[in-house]
Amino acid sequence: MSAKSERYREVAREIAAVLEGERNMTARMATISNILHHSFDHYFWTGFYLVDPKKPGELVIGPYQGSLGCLRIPIGKGVCGAAAAERRTIVVEDVHEFAGHIACDARSRSEIVAPVFDPSGALVGVFDVDSDRKAMFDEEDATGIEAILKDAIID
Ligand code: SME
């Protein structure tokens, strides 16, 4: 196993240990964002966009780490909106080449967005990680992030 995949496993264990006994989803998402953000050098912006129950066609900002994020993203727009609409993880090597990319911070160069589901399989939102360098995310990031989300999103 690569060093990066091994690191994702360690981080998953650390997140599980900190979250043990805590059921509040804001606390859980804030902790996931924080620990992941501070565990990997290639993470520049890290956080959740959540389906707004009052406006189901929009994602609204959730717990995050990094520079100021956009508050709302229409489902279907940008990388986050596409991942929500298609319910699949999207890796973008160069955000300048992704049609409709939403630049909340002009320094973002590559990105991974994974859909977030509750245990019943309903879409809760997305988890977005941006890097300020090109092509920083791959299949190992997708596998590591998806595993953490699957275990940590319990409501
Ligand atoms: N780049 C994202 C927008 C969110 S942020 O960069 C924090 C997108 O196109 O979905």
Side-chain angles (χ1 to χ4, degrees), residues 18-19 23 47-48 50 65-66 78 82-83 87 105 111-112 125 127 131 155:
V18 175
L19 293 183
R23 297 200 61 82
F48 290 86
L50 304 171
Q65 298 274 313
R87 288 168 162 64
D105 187 317
E111 170 162 16
I112 183 168
F127 183 69
S131 178
D155 210 0

Side-chain angles (χ1 to χ4, degrees), residues 74-85:
I75 290 183
K77 293 266 157 43
V79 187
C80 292

Side-chain angles (χ1 to χ4, degrees), residues 34-95:
N34 182 288
I35 294 179
L36 274 167
H37 188 77
H38 294 285
S39 295
F40 292 100
D41 276 349
H42 62 304
Y43 279 45
F44 171 74
W45 191 97
T46 310
F48 290 86
Y49 279 95
L50 304 171
V51 177
D52 185 349
K54 293 185 180 155
K55 290 188 181 173
E58 285 186 9
L59 300 169
V60 63
I61 192 81
Y64 71 98
Q65 298 274 313
S67 54
L68 184 67
C70 307
L71 297 191
R72 289 181 176 272
I73 297 176
I75 290 183
K77 293 266 157 43
V79 187
C80 292
E86 296 169 27
R87 288 168 162 64
R88 67 180 179 93
T89 299
I90 298 179
V91 174
V92 178
E93 293 200 343
D94 182 349
V95 298

Side-chain angles (χ1 to χ4, degrees), residues 103-135:
C104 301
D105 187 317
R107 289 171 291 181
S108 289
R109 295 305 306 278
S110 60
E111 170 162 16
I112 183 168
V113 183
V116 179
F117 303 105
D118 72 14
S120 77
L123 185 78
V124 173
V126 299
F127 183 69
D128 176 16
V129 188
D130 294 6
S131 178
D132 57 359
R133 287 165 278 160
K134 264 192 355 190

